[in-house]
Amino acid sequence: MLPQPLRGAGVALLILTLSACGGTGSPSTPAAPTDTTGSISDTLAPQGVASPVTLTVGQPQQLTVTVGGRAPTPGQLVWTTTNAAVATVTQTGLVTPVSGGNATVRAALSSNASAFIDFPLTVSGAVTAPTPAPAPAPAPATGFAQQVLDLVNAARTQARNCGATAYAAAPALTLNAQLGQAAQGHAADMAAQNYFSHTSKDGRTAGQRIAAAGYAYRTWGENIAAGQASAAQVVAGWLNSEGHCRNIMSANFRELGVGYAYKTGTQFGHYWVQNFGAR
């Protein structure tokens, strides 16, 4: 918009300039510093009206005004808004849209209120972010070992019958990295080779796999399962099976390792291993 002259004779013309974020000024007017919130660009005269500005709720805009080609000194300008319910403005010219509607922000010289620039604002509602697609259910592999441990220890806090055998509550187990290595190796092997057995395809038993992982056991036990998609499902299944329940409730065990693997195209998809031990 071109400058508009001040009405009335004998009043000195004062040019106020708005500079854009990242823009350049005219040859005689240096660009104002860049502001990270963005700014609106126009060149106006006293009692000028800037081009209409459209803002969005929640997205502030910096209005940068220079006086005589220079940044205003503190207190040189007075910033006001006609409708604070629509948009507020600080005394540095930062406009914050509050709600939809119209307002006018004015920058006036504190020493001469008749020298000003008005910024007509139209504020639209906040931009609605697209509804994200539902996140897929987390894979059981995310923290599966801790989940299984927590469920097992919760079960061990209560006395229960495993088939015809009564078990008292037992001390909590702790995770052991070597038992976990043996369990994870067997779960991954069953998934990779599409089988389900305590005996590996190479003929190794659970005790041999545990020893090979460096766990010098005094006693050990193993539970395996396949097809369950979550830690809660697999532990519930083990507790409902007499032999597996005995391993979970045995006070002879002190440590636990957990393995989980998933592979599409296999008979069961999900493969789980628990290795129990004490040293």
Side-chain angles (χ1 to χ4, degrees), residues 20-44:
C21 173
T24 57
S26 65
S28 60
T29 303
T34 299
D35 190 281
T36 56
T37 60
S39 57
I40 307 299
S41 177
D42 207 346
T43 302
L44 306 164

Side-chain angles (χ1 to χ4, degrees), residues 161-258:
N161 291 329
C162 296
T165 307
Y167 283 85
L173 302 177
T174 58
L175 289 178
N176 176 270
Q178 294 165 324
L179 289 174
Q181 178 184 340
Q184 184 59 41
H186 189 47
D189 188 56
M190 287 192 293
Q193 301 196 61
N194 193 17
Y195 73 99
F196 182 67
S197 173
H198 286 286
T199 303
S200 302
K201 284 285 190 178
D202 60 9
R204 290 187 302 160
T205 65
Q208 290 171 327
R209 291 189 297 268
I210 292 171
Y215 188 82
Y217 61 81
R218 174 174 52 82
T219 184
W220 62 266
E222 180 175 84
N223 285 345
I224 62 174
Q228 296 84 355
S230 71
Q233 289 177 352
V234 74
V235 173
W238 279 327
L239 287 171
N240 286 326
S241 170
E242 181 176 352
H244 300 94
C245 177
R246 288 177 178 178
N247 279 340
I248 290 175
M249 293 303 299
S250 175
N252 292 328
F253 297 134
R254 292 289 183 265
E255 296 172 305
L256 178 69
V258 183

